[in-house]
Amino acid sequence: TQLLEQSPQFLSIQEGENLTVYCNSSSVFSSLQWYRQEPGEGPVLLVTVVTGGEVKKLKRLTFQFGDARKDSSLHITAAQPGDTGLYLCAGVAAGNKLTFGGGTRVLVKP
Amino acid sequence: ETGVTQTPRHLVMGMTNKKSLKCEQHLGHNAMYWYKQSAKKPLELMFVYNFKEQTENNSVPSRFSPECPNSSHLFLHLHTLQPEDSALYLCASSQLVAGGPRVIALAKNIQYFGAGTRLSVL
């Protein structure tokens, strides 16, 4: 069983602060996805990272895939209340199997 | 709007009831999934259908019975559920790419989720 551990489980910050969410595994993934889930909705894909060491930027969000393709991080700069939600990482392994992490619940207070 | 529609959005049922959850995808995808999302637990994959054929059943109790009549529709039939089955049930679809190892490696299996059905079992 491939496990993806996310940390922290919960993060509460003030608007304008920065935050980082981590996603770690002992297994290698062919790619890794980050989703955000808002209350009352299903998860929505933010980004996919494929290459070890890859860094992708999406406005104030920066995603990094570890060199060994076992871990990833999501960094949000100058967080806004609209960034509030549950952030999920998901690793794609052989046979297209997708494994989700436990999620990080982010609350950005105005 | 993700192109995946789930009904109903909310469902309350007793342990002796029989009900069904419905999912429809308008994305032309070839794979559909049922997930269970409980508080304090990772998203749990329940069933996978690829081209209408069930390809995965993650040791789900028989009180959950999936049905996939075509590649656009997926149902989850529920009967004699337990209170611990209360959760958000999410449907998703994706486009799986068949082919050799290189093609499979490039396939990212991006999931498009519906908004879910919030199920409460009394």
Side-chain angles (χ1 to χ4, degrees):
Chain A
T1 305
Q2 296 172 308
L3 293 175
L4 269 173
E5 291 192 11
Q6 285 189 240
S7 61
Q9 290 186 343
F10 180 70
L11 202 51
S12 178
I13 60 171
Q14 291 296 134
E15 182 175 2
E17 293 182 340
N18 301 333
L19 68 99
T20 302
V21 176
Y22 299 93
C23 177
N24 295 296
S25 176
S26 57
S27 303
V28 176
F29 295 101
S30 59
S31 64
L32 198 133
Q33 304 165 4
W34 284 94
Y35 294 80
R36 180 170 67 213
Q37 184 177 15
E38 298 183 19
E41 301 295 331
V44 176
L45 181 74
L46 295 173
V47 81
T48 301
V49 284
V50 179
T51 308
E54 181 177 2
V55 177
K56 275 192 176 176
K57 291 195 174 186
L58 198 68
K59 295 184 181 177
R60 294 174 294 99
L61 277 61
T62 301
F63 303 85
Q64 187 160 8
F65 201 12
D67 291 341
R69 289 187 285 126
K70 293 182 179 182
D71 53 83
S72 181
S73 64
L74 156 61
H75 183 79
I76 301 179
T77 305
Q80 298 176 359
D83 296 324
T84 292
L86 177 68
Y87 288 82
L88 295 160
C89 65
V92 181
N96 276 325
K97 279 191 79 74
L98 196 63
T99 302
F100 279 88
T104 295
R105 200 163 292 279
V106 172
L107 174 63
V108 182
K109 295 183 241 183
Chain B
E1 176 59 52
T2 62
V4 180
T5 305
Q6 287 187 246
T7 54
R9 292 294 309 273
H10 301 273
L11 180 62
V12 179
M13 59 187 288
M15 290 192 284
T16 57
N17 291 157
K18 288 185 182 181
K19 296 284 184 184
S20 296
L21 310 185
K22 180 183 175 182
C23 177
E24 183 175 359
Q25 58 100 356
H26 311 276
L27 302 167
H29 288 163
N30 57 17
M32 295 188 77
Y33 310 77
W34 279 116
Y35 288 88
K36 177 182 178 183
Q37 189 174 38
S38 310
K40 300 178 183 177
K41 274 188 172 183
L43 207 56
E44 297 173 73
L45 179 64
M46 299 173 72
F47 300 104
V48 180
Y49 277 83
N50 192 350
F51 288 105
K52 302 187 300 176
E53 299 296 323
Q54 188 180 122
T55 57
E56 196 156 340
N57 175 340
N58 276 342
S59 303
V60 181
S62 59
R63 56 186 185 269
F64 295 91
S65 174
E67 179 190 359
C68 188
N70 55 62
S71 55
S72 298
H73 293 85
L74 186 64
F75 295 89
L76 188 62
H77 303 300
L78 317 170
H79 63 98
T80 59
L81 294 192
Q82 305 296 313
E84 59 265 28
D85 296 323
S86 299
L88 180 68
Y89 288 84
L90 289 163
C91 172
S93 71
S94 74
Q95 184 65 20
L96 294 181
V97 179
R102 176 170 168 74
V103 176
I104 292 174
L106 291 175
K108 301 183 184 73
N109 196 6
I110 294 170
Q111 308 277 293
Y112 291 79
F113 287 89
T117 296
R118 173 71 59 189
L119 174 67
S120 297
V121 182
L122 304 178

